[in-house]
Amino acid sequence: MHRRVTLATAIGGAILTVLAGCGSDGSAGESTPAPTTPSETASATPSVDPSSPDATTLSGDWQIPAEDYVLHLADDGTFVEDFQGVVDFRTGKYEIDGDTISLVGDDGNTDKGTIEGETLKFTLGTATRVE
């Protein structure tokens, strides 16, 4: 019995080690942020002031058709992503700093993009506003 517990512990540790490496953006020297719990994210205030011009200018739906991706930006500073047929694939808050938009997901990952005119450019592709 003692041997099974040790083996199960070792396998569990190996799985957690592999999972800890998932979700990295590949940047060297950056540590993966600690995951957040739903209660931590639910109590956090939005990072975008709903009355700011940035929030009202970017709020709405943005799409990258080739990737079957839709980004819903709410004017309260929150976002929802739909990806490859999965509705509400990821949620979180967005931040705007100059021409950079950061999607800070409830999953602990952050995706950065560039605001260029009427488009949002991300690593995944260029998003255009849904008409």
Side-chain angles (χ1 to χ4, degrees):
M1 182 67 156
H2 179 68
R3 185 173 194 183
R4 287 184 187 161
V5 172
T6 304
L7 181 59
T9 302
I11 292 172
I15 291 171
L16 289 175
T17 300
V18 170
L19 291 176
C22 295
S24 172
D25 66 359
S27 300
E30 291 183 5
S31 63
T32 304
T36 57
T37 62
S39 62
E40 288 174 335
T41 56
S43 63
T45 58
S47 55
V48 174
D49 177 0
S51 63
S52 78
D54 290 333
T56 56
T57 300
L58 292 181
S59 66
D61 300 330
W62 299 80
Q63 66 180 346
I64 304 174
E67 299 299 330
D68 192 13
Y69 172 85
V70 178
L71 172 63
H72 309 279
L73 296 176
D75 57 8
D76 67 354
T78 60
F79 76 86
V80 175
E81 293 175 324
D82 301 337
F83 184 62
Q84 296 185 345
V86 179
V87 177
D88 298 342
F89 176 76
R90 190 169 83 121
T91 62
K93 297 179 181 2
Y94 65 94
E95 300 171 352
I96 300 168
D97 184 15
D99 65 349
T100 300
I101 182 169
S102 299
L103 304 177
V104 182
D106 291 343
D107 59 1
N109 294 316
T110 299
D111 296 319
K112 291 188 182 263
T114 306
I115 303 165
E116 295 184 11
E118 296 297 314
T119 63
L120 303 176
K121 293 195 176 199
F122 295 99
T123 303
L124 184 64
T126 300
T128 56
R129 190 178 296 276
V130 176
E131 299 296 326

